[in-house]
C-alpha cells in the first residue's frame, strides 16, 4: 500500500473504490475488514481535501477587464 498523502486524487479515488468493493463483497476476514475500513476512511479524507483545494483554486480565478483569467498559477508540466 502506498502513502496516502503522496497519492493523486485519481489514484486515491481508484483505491477507495477498490476498498468499497472488497468490503461490500463480504468475503473479507474481520481484522482485514477493519484495516480496509480504516484505509478507506483515510482515502476518503484525502480525496475530500484534494477536492477542497481544487475548489479553492477555482474560486480564486477571476476575469480582468479584458476577459483574461487572473489569479491563476500555471499547471506544472503543461
Amino acid at each position: 500500500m502506498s502513502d496516502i498523502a503522496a497519492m493523486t486524487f485519481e489514484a486515491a479515488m481508484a483505491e477507495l473504490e477498490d476498498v468499497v468493493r472488497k468490503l461490500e463483497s463480504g468475503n473479507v476476514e474481520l481484522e482485514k475488514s477493519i484495516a480496509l475500513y480504516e484505509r478507506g476512511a483515510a482515502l476518503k479524507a484525502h480525496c475530500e481535501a484534494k477536492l477542497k483545494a481544487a475548489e479553492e483554486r477555482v474560486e480564486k480565478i477571476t476575469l480582468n477587464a479584458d476577459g483574461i483569467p487572473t489569479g491563476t498559477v500555471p499547471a506544472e508540466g503543461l
Side-chain angles (χ1 to χ4, degrees):
M1 286 190 214
S2 59
D3 177 32
I4 292 173
M7 296 176 88
T8 64
F9 173 82
E10 292 79 10
M13 185 61 87
E15 185 175 337
L16 179 57
E17 290 170 352
D18 187 51
V19 165
V20 170
R21 269 192 299 278
K22 287 176 182 175
L23 289 171
E24 287 179 341
S25 76
N27 296 328
V28 182
E29 297 172 2
L30 179 60
E31 288 301 316
K32 176 99 174 163
S33 291
I34 293 169
L36 280 170
Y37 184 85
E38 291 170 341
R39 178 119 177 128
L43 287 163
K44 179 181 177 278
H46 179 70
C47 287
E48 288 173 343
K50 289 280 193 181
L51 281 175
K52 183 169 176 49
E55 288 171 355
E56 289 171 357
R57 284 181 63 196
V58 169
E59 288 174 0
K60 289 180 183 176
I61 298 171
T62 58
L63 299 179
N64 67 16
D66 296 324
I68 297 171
T70 61
T72 61
V73 177
E76 295 79 15
L78 293 181

